[in-house]
Amino acid sequence: MRLGDLKISLLGMPLERPLATQLFSSEYVFVEIMGKEDKKLILTLAPNQDTTIHDLQKYDENDLEIMIRDSEQLLHKIYGYRIIDNIIVLA
């Protein structure tokens, strides 16, 4: 999923809504923005971090592909999200 597509789909949602993922477990885990690499926006698992929609909006390169780095440093592409308990869960 590209950053611009995600930002458009999140328009109108509260900016403080946190981001998480369920890629690696059945429970969601919060994520942290690590930064840009090439044409990618890299996120990583951060159970104690509250990254929000507001944090995503700081990046204006809408063609960046959103990826999550796992504990083995492998990158996983994000294809979409769903909302669980007012949390945006990327998958």
Side-chain angles (χ1 to χ4, degrees):
M1 177 173 237
R2 290 195 178 121
L3 177 60
D5 296 334
L6 179 61
K7 286 167 46 177
I8 287 171
S9 71
L10 298 176
L11 284 175
M13 291 188 192
L15 294 178
E16 66 278 355
R17 188 169 278 179
L19 303 173
T21 187
Q22 276 185 315
L23 283 179
F24 312 108
S25 70
S26 60
E27 298 294 319
Y28 57 79
V29 177
F30 292 106
V31 296
E32 177 181 9
I33 299 173
M34 296 304 298
K36 297 183 292 185
E37 262 181 42
D38 301 320
K39 291 275 187 184
K40 301 175 183 88
L41 181 64
I42 308 296
L43 310 177
T44 190
L45 302 177
N48 298 321
Q49 181 72 23
D50 277 345
T51 299
T52 65
I53 294 173
H54 178 72
D55 298 316
L56 279 181
Q57 289 182 336
K58 295 176 185 175
Y59 293 86
D60 58 359
E61 297 176 55
N62 291 327
D63 63 335
L64 296 174
E65 196 68 40
I66 302 172
M67 309 284 284
I68 294 185
R69 181 171 280 145
D70 67 17
S71 59
E72 296 177 9
Q73 303 304 307
L74 299 174
L75 291 175
H76 303 270
K77 188 173 179 176
I78 295 301
Y79 292 97
Y81 71 91
R82 57 192 174 139
I83 298 173
I84 302 173
D85 299 328
N86 286 320
I87 296 171
I88 299 163
V89 180
L90 304 169

